[in-house]
């Protein structure tokens, strides 16, 4: 289980400089109007971090809370495309540092007993890091 924690730490350390290296125009460019820009994908990762933080907090004291979000609505309503990139990056970094801290404290507890959305917290933690890495690869892709 500690392996995904190490992956998460590396990702948090590397991602901000990787994002900063992307040209501003390329970062905001939308491949087609219906698809997210790299900037909006970063916004989606912020929404994911906030939603997952609630999942991990509430699942410790509630029985299997059901916490979902409509990702396209969140992205559009948060106006990520018009947001300042540095502000988004700072928010992403702060949220993920807090999630890392929370993950490190949660792994000492019985994660197979606590659930959210009918999934164990152990699964949700590993899935969160995999999801983050998937979108990191999307953002860093040349196209």
């Amino acid at each position: 289980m500690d392996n995904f924690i190490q992956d998460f730490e590396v990702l948090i350390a590397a991602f901000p400089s990787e994002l900063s290296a992307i040209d501003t125009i390329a970062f905001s460019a939308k491949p087609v109007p219906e698809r997210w820009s790299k900037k909006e994908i970063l916004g989606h990762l912020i929404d994911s971090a906030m939603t997952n933080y609630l999942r991990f907090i509430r699942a410790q004291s509630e029985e299997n809370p059901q916490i979902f979000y409509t990702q396209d609505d969140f992205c559009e309503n948060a106006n990520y495309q018009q947001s300042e990139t540095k502000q988004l990056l700072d928010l992403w970094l702060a949220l993920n540092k807090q999630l890392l801290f929370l993950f490190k404290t949660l792994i000492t507890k019985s994660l197979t007993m606590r659930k959210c959305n009918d999934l164990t917290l152990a699964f949700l933690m590993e899935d969160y890091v995999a999801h983050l890495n998937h979108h990191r690869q999307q953002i860093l892709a040349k196209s």
Side-chain angles (χ1 to χ4, degrees), residues 78-119:
N79 296 311
Y80 291 126
Q81 188 66 10
Q82 291 76 37
S83 297
E84 182 184 317
T85 300
K86 183 182 180 334
Q87 183 173 313
L88 293 178
L89 182 53
D90 290 347
L91 179 56
W92 178 88
L93 187 58
L95 288 167
N96 281 280
K97 283 182 176 182
Q98 187 61 31
L99 271 168
L100 176 63
F101 170 77
L102 183 59
F103 285 7
K104 287 179 176 181
T105 61
L106 284 175
I107 61 171
T108 64
K109 300 180 180 184
S110 179
L111 296 177
T112 57
M113 301 298 290
R114 304 305 308 177
K115 291 185 174 187
C116 180
N117 300 347
D118 301 319
L119 301 166

Side-chain angles (χ1 to χ4, degrees), residues 28 38 50 59 76 121 134:
S28 296
K38 294 174 187 286
M50 290 188 291
E76 183 179 337
L121 292 186
H134 165 75

